[in-house]
Amino acid sequence: MPGIQGTTLPKSSVHMQSRSHSLERKRGARQQQRRNSISSSSRDSRYSVPTQQSPGEEFSLELLHLQQQQRRGSSQGSVAAGSTAAGSILSTESRISVQLERLQQSISSRQARRGSFGSAASTVSGTSSRSSAEVVAQMEKIRAHLRRSASIGSSSGGSTQGSIRLARASSVNSLRSTDSSIMEAFFDPSAESLPYLTIYYATQSGTSEFYAYSLQQEGQKMEIDVGICNVSNLVQTIEMSIDHELSDILVPHTTKSGKKRGRAVFLVSTYNDGGPSDDGRAFLKILQELQDHKYFKGLRYAVFGFGNSTYGNTYNVQGKRYDQLLANLGGKRLVPLTLGDDSKDIDWDFEQWKWKVFWPKFADLSARDGQPAPPPEGGQASQEPIKPKKRSGKGNEDDGTADPDSEYILEYISQSNFSYQKVKWDQVPLRGTSKHFRQGTMHNVNAIQSLWRDPNLPSSIQQQGSTMHLELDLRHPDGPALDINSGDNVAILSKNDAAIVNSVAYQLGFDLDAIFILKPKDDTELSEFELPFPLPCTVRDYLTNYCELLTPPRRSVLRALSKFATNFQEREELYTLSSKKHRNEYKSRVIEQRIGLADVFLQYYKSIEIPLINFIALCAPLQPRWYSVASSTLVHSYSVHFTIAVVSIPRGIDNTFSVGTASQYLSKLRVGDKCKIIRSIGSGFVCPQDYTKPLIMIANGSGIAPMRALLQERHYQKQTLGYLVGPSELFFGIRRRDLDFLYRDEFTYYKQCGTLSALYLACSREQMHKIYVQHMVAKHAEHIWKLLLRGAHIYVCGSASMRTEVDQVLRAIALRQVGANGVEQFMNKLAKEGRYAQEAFDANHVLF
């Protein structure tokens, strides 16, 4: 079953431990890029609108200029350098005095016109506004600090301790949108280190990883020392460490008074029906085993959970669990637990959390600690478009420097150099949710067939999808054999269709046969570098095997793409569609209509001209799709079966159909073809050890897969082993008996021989009023309760909406029997005893 979807991972991984030897160099490079971008005036007039700098903006630029001069002076470590810096400060102070006078005049004129000063000058927290008097007073304080700093700098030889640290303006774009947006925080001159933060993430298919890297990128732009780490790597570090325990890693800093201190963000995804992600299982177990010990005293932490509210009472369980466990272990919440809902607009949830809650609180904490703080909200991408470069045959860039914020340098290599480079780059690890590209084994397709019974269906019905039966041979893998058991969930890695790959490459001007590598832009060692996908590779390999072309892009991706649209109308529409105010329009036009990234280029915004390096930064890595095993290993020990829903969603906007990546790939497989299985994980869909216990199976659509495996195993126990098995009853939701009664012959046989005690079909399209499987369960409430009293196990698999409604029906059944006070206790008892297994997928957010 699929987890919530991942998306772009725009930055390469930075290891958990900070690299102090290169921090200053990287910070200087980022400041140089920022200064160049602020001062640049070389934009083509077709792509930018000249704007006059406000006094507040000019003032902020002076602060940036002053800061650079201070650092250049302090880095020399000499009295002469300090004197030079002091002179620069006094010179800048003089210019700022002029700006102050201009700002005061501007305030007076605005007051005359409007009667009040409407400034939105931001505080460190970005949540309050200043009056005109406060702004002027603050600027006077700045000038006083400048004078003191000049004298300190000249007397101390330009030492780092003597120079004050000035907060920077949030961005030129933000300044233009307000009368005056000035950071007025001043920090302790004795502060010797940057504010520090470590971001930990646990993810199944990339969602929390994407947001972790975006948060890291913002922090680095604010000159915060940000580390990032997948929790599975954290576990490996703990296991390999001799001198350090988990507390030393999560709470790494020691103050002068000897107190331990640490700051961390945990971005945690809940997988499927409340379980932890694969990479988070071991770390969660460690946290649970450490209870009753204050290991994390001194840790200030924040938890943001990623979940889907359609999963009902298991919504965001893992985020809640992390938050409570960290508190129990002595950690102190920096901000309250926040839960993001992927069934609505998780982009909006995360943006509100980071700008309104997290960054302001982090800034406040940093200020109190005497460290620089981040700017307030407004640090979004500039609306000013990037002038597209001239097309070249290899993808719009020649030197790999098209994206100043990218962590990579893209370099093309020759075919003769491919083998050498491959040996070299195969040793470089892959980041979090890209590790599967080097995992798994290839298996032969033994059988593939449609399970829909009527080949002469109307085209309107056929276009809406079908269901296939797929069998893979387990006997001759091209690598270590996978241990696959009945009831497991198995990840299959698909590929993008060749026709779509060719179309995207042609539209964007990419040379499909060009071979490239990605190098770290800074001085990061290869041992510390993590790749987004295996290298070297051709552009064709990348577009086919490593990137999501058909999943809808997030709003942040559309905002970034707007910079590369050469058509003014398309550029404005993309930016508008990506804005917070139009998130409902984004949901209806992009998410619900399943507009994929390839559709953006090929159908709707054809003026986009994007270099390959930027495309890679924006495009999410191709994720495996999870399927429930539809066969019992007792019966089929040398093969594994799957029930595949070929998803085809009609688009109301242009009468076309959106077909998913996996649907296209798997539907075109033929007997003898190869298919890649990544890994397998267990689930609760296993027969009870006590084979006399009843089974209650509830499913709709392709959710019948694990039920088929259960029935195969029960039939084997009954017919081959001679066990006196308990009753097995199946509630199955379909459209029509003559259309999508999947595995009809097999289930009919089980019914005839007594393996299947009862079969209840809910046919939603065979009568005027629709009957769904939850209605059939409610109809047989008394019978179900009697089976539960006999120790029955319940299995539910299918659409998320069905799972939620079935859960409500089961609770209603319990309510009538045990009363309101006993419902929750009874349901928890079922789950604790392993008698209630659920799997579900959300049709609007499924990874096809």
Side-chain angles (χ1 to χ4, degrees):
M1 293 291 104
I4 53 180
Q5 179 187 346
T7 184
T8 68
L9 305 176
K11 303 280 291 177
S12 70
S13 176
V14 177
H15 281 239
M16 177 180 54
Q17 304 297 332
S18 65
R19 301 188 296 274
S20 59
H21 65 280
S22 61
L23 181 59
E24 287 297 323
R25 188 160 35 233
K26 294 179 187 177
R27 182 177 60 181
R30 288 196 300 270
Q31 290 171 341
Q32 182 65 42
Q33 293 170 2
R34 187 186 300 111
R35 189 169 65 253
N36 291 343
S37 64
I38 291 176
S39 61
S40 174
S41 60
S42 60
R43 303 291 190 193
D44 191 299
S45 60
R46 294 175 297 170
Y47 302 105
S48 62
V49 180
T51 57
Q52 184 176 359
Q53 292 174 342
S54 66
E57 180 180 334
E58 292 185 20
F59 176 78
S60 300
L61 295 179
E62 293 289 353
L63 295 187
L64 288 173
H65 176 71
L66 167 63
Q67 186 180 47
Q68 296 303 317
Q69 290 176 326
Q70 284 181 303
R71 284 183 176 157
R72 281 196 296 270
S74 63
S75 64
Q76 299 298 321
S78 65
V79 175
S83 300
T84 302
S88 298
I89 292 171
L90 293 174
S91 176
T92 304
E93 190 270 334
S94 176
R95 294 197 299 271
I96 290 180
S97 296
V98 177
Q99 299 300 330
L100 176 58
E101 294 174 2
R102 291 185 57 191
L103 182 59
Q104 290 173 319
Q105 293 173 359
S106 177
I107 291 171
S108 300
S109 63
R110 276 195 292 269
Q111 286 176 327
R113 289 195 306 268
R114 299 186 308 205
S116 64
F117 181 62
S119 170
S122 301
T123 64
V124 174
S125 64
T127 58
S128 63
S129 300
R130 300 290 188 186
S131 67
S132 58
E134 289 176 309
V135 173
V136 172
Q138 189 61 61
M139 294 179 70
E140 291 284 7
K141 183 190 293 186
I142 291 173
R143 186 158 57 181
H145 272 276
L146 292 174
R147 292 195 183 104
R148 286 202 302 271
S149 181
S151 61
I152 293 173
S154 59
S155 62
S156 63
S159 63
T160 304
Q161 290 84 349
S163 62
I164 65 169
R165 295 184 180 275
L166 299 173
R168 291 160 301 283
S170 58
S171 68
V172 173
N173 185 54
S174 177
L175 288 166
R176 289 171 180 162
S177 64
T178 61
D179 293 311
S180 161
S181 181
I182 304 170
M183 295 293 291
E184 78 288 348
F186 291 90
F187 305 101
D188 185 355
S190 64
E192 301 179 10
S193 62
L194 294 174
Y196 53 88
L197 176 68
T198 307
I199 303 170
Y200 301 97
Y201 64 90
T203 184
Q204 186 68 28
S205 54
T207 302
S208 61
E209 183 180 38
F210 159 64
Y211 288 105
Y213 280 94
S214 67
L215 196 66
Q216 181 204 27
Q217 188 177 33
E218 290 166 358
Q220 289 177 335
K221 289 180 179 179
M222 301 169 192
E223 294 191 8
I224 299 171
D225 183 5
V226 186
I228 191 166
C229 181
N230 183 271
V231 291
S232 63
N233 294 337
L234 182 60
V235 172
Q236 293 176 11
T237 303
I238 297 167
E239 292 174 346
M240 295 170 59
S241 176
I242 298 176
D243 301 322
H244 297 87
E245 295 183 355
L246 181 59
S247 59
D248 297 318
I249 298 172
L250 288 183
V251 194
H253 299 275
T254 304
T255 63
K256 293 180 179 179
S257 60
K259 295 182 178 180
K260 299 284 287 182
R261 180 181 294 171
R263 297 174 191 165
V265 173
F266 289 85
L267 306 182
V268 184
S269 294
T270 296
Y271 171 60
N272 207 355
D273 197 52
S277 57
D278 287 354
D279 59 5
R281 291 178 187 275
F283 182 67
L284 182 63
K285 184 178 180 181
I286 290 175
L287 292 182
Q288 292 170 334
E289 291 174 347
L290 290 176
Q291 290 305 292
D292 301 324
H293 298 280
K294 301 300 181 182
Y295 278 97
F296 301 153
K297 187 177 181 181
L299 174 67
R300 300 298 301 274
Y301 72 90
V303 176
F304 186 96
F306 297 86
N308 191 309
S309 60
T310 59
Y311 283 81
N313 61 322
T314 61
Y315 169 58
N316 253 313
V317 165
Q318 294 305 314
K320 299 173 185 176
R321 189 168 294 169
Y322 269 70
D323 181 66
Q324 189 59 52
L325 289 172
L326 291 168
N328 293 345
L329 288 166
K332 184 177 180 180
R333 294 179 181 89
L334 180 62
V335 296
L337 167 68
T338 303
L339 306 178
D341 189 356
D342 196 50
S343 70
K344 296 176 182 177
D345 188 348
I346 208 163
D347 266 346
W348 168 257
D349 294 339
F350 193 76
E351 287 172 2
Q352 289 295 294
W353 171 77
K354 70 181 180 182
W355 291 120
K356 301 293 187 183
V357 181
F358 176 71
W359 281 133
K361 187 65 176 180
F362 185 86
D364 181 62
L365 180 63
S366 298
R368 283 189 275 116
D369 286 350
Q371 295 174 320
E377 182 178 8
Q380 300 181 18
S382 171
Q383 297 187 41
E384 186 177 9
I386 294 177
K387 180 180 177 181
K389 289 196 171 189
K390 229 172 153 182
R391 288 182 181 241
S392 69
K394 291 182 178 178
N396 294 353
E397 79 289 314
D398 298 319
D399 56 6
T401 59
D403 184 3
D405 291 327
S406 175
E407 196 81 8
Y408 310 123
I409 294 176
L410 187 147
E411 181 179 304
Y412 293 99
I413 64 173
S414 64
Q415 180 65 47
S416 59
N417 197 24
F418 181 87
S419 297
Y420 167 77
Q421 291 285 354
K422 182 169 179 56
V423 172
K424 175 183 176 182
W425 288 97
D426 277 350
Q427 308 305 314
V428 181
L430 298 177
R431 67 158 61 126
T433 51
S434 296
K435 293 179 180 179
H436 59 267
F437 291 135
R438 288 180 182 161
Q439 299 172 345
T441 53
M442 300 296 292
H443 298 266
N444 287 325
V445 175
N446 280 352
I448 185 167
Q449 64 184 70
S450 174
L451 293 174
W452 282 27
R453 302 181 62 83
D454 188 354
N456 300 314
L457 289 173
S459 58
S460 60
I461 296 180
Q462 289 181 358
Q463 286 178 321
Q464 294 180 27
S466 61
T467 308
M468 297 186 308
H469 176 76
L470 173 66
E471 297 182 14
L472 299 180
D473 193 338
L474 297 178
R475 290 174 294 182
H476 306 292
D478 65 350
L482 294 174
D483 184 19
I484 298 178
N485 300 302
S486 304
D488 281 359
N489 290 334
V490 172
I492 296 178
L493 187 61
S494 56
K495 298 181 180 181
N496 289 310
D497 187 74
I500 295 176
V501 168
N502 292 336
S503 298
V504 169
Y506 177 80
Q507 177 67 24
L508 299 179
F510 296 160
D511 180 358
L512 288 172
D513 296 321
I515 306 172
F516 68 92
I517 57 175
L518 299 175
K519 294 182 177 181
K521 180 181 291 184
D522 53 34
D523 60 349
T524 301
E525 298 292 335
L526 287 184
S527 60
E528 297 178 340
F529 188 52
E530 290 184 349
L531 298 174
F533 48 85
L535 292 171
C537 73
T538 65
V539 176
R540 187 189 309 278
D541 287 340
Y542 167 67
L543 294 177
T544 302
N545 300 312
Y546 302 138
C547 65
E548 293 280 4
L549 293 178
L550 298 184
T551 54
R554 295 193 181 273
R555 288 192 292 112
S556 56
V557 175
L558 294 181
R559 184 184 304 127
L561 287 175
S562 68
K563 300 178 181 180
F564 300 97
T566 58
N567 178 276
F568 178 80
Q569 182 176 349
E570 290 186 359
R571 183 169 66 251
E572 291 297 310
E573 184 175 339
L574 275 168
Y575 195 87
T576 300
L577 197 60
S578 69
S579 67
K580 299 177 184 178
K581 293 181 180 179
H582 295 83
R583 61 185 186 278
N584 291 331
E585 183 180 359
Y586 161 81
K587 182 178 180 180
S588 62
R589 290 181 55 186
V590 179
I591 297 297
E592 294 177 358
Q593 299 297 333
R594 297 301 304 179
I595 303 301
L597 182 63
D599 297 319
V600 172
F601 303 124
L602 300 178
Q603 297 188 44
Y604 302 103
Y605 303 100
K606 296 183 178 181
S607 75
I608 292 176
E609 296 182 6
I610 183 170
L612 180 59
I613 185 67
N614 298 83
F615 183 91
I616 292 171
L618 293 175
C619 193
L622 186 64
Q623 293 298 312
R625 274 54 171 171
W626 290 88
Y627 297 95
S628 297
V629 172
S631 56
S632 168
T633 52
L634 292 178
V635 180
H636 302 279
S637 56
Y638 298 111
S639 64
V640 59
H641 302 182
F642 302 100
T643 307
I644 309 292
V646 181
V647 182
S648 181
I649 298 179
R651 293 173 177 154
I653 54 177
D654 54 9
N655 297 320
T656 61
F657 286 81
S658 173
V659 181
T661 303
S663 295
Q664 285 196 347
Y665 171 68
L666 295 174
S667 64
K668 293 182 179 180
L669 289 176
R670 298 295 178 263
V671 174
D673 288 347
K674 297 281 189 180
C675 184
K676 189 173 186 178
I677 295 179
I678 302 299
R679 60 185 179 274
S680 173
I681 61 174
S683 73
F685 284 75
V686 294
C687 283
Q689 292 183 346
D690 185 350
Y691 48 81
T692 65
K693 297 298 183 182
L695 305 185
I696 303 173
M697 297 165 285
I698 306 169
N700 67 352
S702 59
I704 196 64
M707 313 308 178
R708 179 177 184 257
L710 289 169
L711 285 171
Q712 283 186 359
E713 193 145 320
R714 266 288 163 99
H715 185 70
Y716 182 85
Q717 291 173 340
K718 176 182 174 65
Q719 298 294 333
T720 305
L721 301 180
Y723 293 166
L724 296 176
V725 300
S728 302
E729 303 195 359
L730 174 62
F731 294 81
F732 190 18
I734 61 176
R735 298 179 185 178
R736 302 198 319 254
R737 287 177 175 83
D738 62 346
L739 174 62
D740 58 343
F741 185 178
L742 309 180
Y743 302 110
R744 176 176 182 173
D745 295 341
E746 189 172 336
F747 293 154
T748 301
Y749 168 72
Y750 290 151
K751 183 73 167 60
Q752 292 173 349
C753 68
T755 300
L756 186 57
S757 308
L759 175 60
Y760 306 98
L761 291 179
C763 305
S764 62
R765 302 295 192 275
E766 286 190 353
Q767 59 283 317
M768 292 295 294
H769 62 285
K770 294 181 179 180
I771 299 177
Y772 294 110
V773 69
Q774 55 267 29
H775 302 147
M776 194 66 68
V777 173
K779 182 178 179 181
H780 295 83
E782 293 294 333
H783 177 62
I784 289 176
W785 181 252
K786 291 178 181 179
L787 292 176
L788 288 174
L789 293 179
R790 292 172 56 186
H793 288 236
I794 305 177
Y795 307 88
V796 182
C797 187
S799 64
S801 59
M802 181 276 288
R803 188 216 69 89
T804 300
E805 295 196 30
V806 166
D807 184 75
Q808 293 172 352
V809 171
L810 294 175
R811 289 174 180 273
I813 294 173
L815 176 64
R816 288 195 294 269
Q817 302 296 331
V818 300
N821 295 331
V823 172
E824 204 63 36
Q825 181 180 355
F826 178 77
M827 299 302 292
N828 290 338
K829 182 174 181 289
L830 287 179
K832 187 175 182 179
E833 294 175 353
R835 294 171 53 201
Y836 189 16
Q838 305 172 77
E839 284 186 356
F841 51 85
D842 182 359
N844 289 326
H845 294 80
V846 68
L847 278 172
F848 294 158

